[in-house]
């Protein structure tokens, strides 16, 4: 009986550690909504937006890479120097830091006259 009790207590302690680890992991990430326009929307199967989960302290460039990994059909477009990203309606550099609640927009190059 004592051996069984010890096994149960060890299992409960492992579960509590796993639960704390899970909570810590969730607290160290945040989500951004990424709006897709024109060619980006087409490549994403017509989706108007995608939500991306990022580590705290992520930059626009890191979000670009995470989005390319999450939606591989966008990878080539996102890697193009002519594809701009906007953060909260302003053009953004890859080095710009992101915060929880930010919105990004993928702005592929357009042609016309």
């Amino acid at each position: 009986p004592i051996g069984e009790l010890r096994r149960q207590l060890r299992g409960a302690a492992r579960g509590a550690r796993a639960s704390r680890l899970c909570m810590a992991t969730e607290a160290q990430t945040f989500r951004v909504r990424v709006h897709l326009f024109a060619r980006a929307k087409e490549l994403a199967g017509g989706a108007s937006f995608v939500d991306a989960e990022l580590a705290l302290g992520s930059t626009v460039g890191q979000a670009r890479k995470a989005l390319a990994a999450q939606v591989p059909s966008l990878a080539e477009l996102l890697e193009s120097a002519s594809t701009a990203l906007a953060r909260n309606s302003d053009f953004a550099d890859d080095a710009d830091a992101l915060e929880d609640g930010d919105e990004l927009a993928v702005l592929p190059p357009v042609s016309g006259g």
Side-chain angles (χ1 to χ4, degrees):
I2 289 186
E4 178 61 27
L5 180 59
R6 284 183 181 154
R7 278 192 294 278
Q8 289 176 354
L9 288 173
R10 280 189 218 122
R14 271 188 234 111
R17 279 193 298 273
S19 178
R20 283 194 305 273
L21 178 62
C22 182
M23 287 172 42
T25 301
E26 288 176 10
Q28 294 181 13
T29 63
F30 66 100
R31 286 187 182 265
V32 294
R33 177 152 288 181
V34 183
H35 297 275
L36 306 172
F37 299 99
R39 183 79 178 130
K41 183 176 179 178
E42 292 172 16
L43 290 171
S48 297
F49 65 87
V50 176
D51 289 326
E53 188 164 336
L54 304 168
L56 288 179
S58 289
T59 63
V60 170
Q62 290 166 324
R64 184 188 295 261
K65 289 177 184 172
L67 184 59
Q70 183 177 334
V71 186
S73 58
L74 291 174
E76 187 176 335
L77 181 71
L78 288 166
E79 292 168 3
S80 170
S82 58
T83 298
L85 266 65
R87 175 182 169 247
N88 301 330
S89 301
D90 292 321
F91 285 103
D93 292 322
D94 279 353
D96 290 350
L98 293 171
E99 298 177 3
D100 191 23
D102 280 351
E103 290 188 330
L104 291 176
V106 178
L107 306 170
V110 293
S111 62

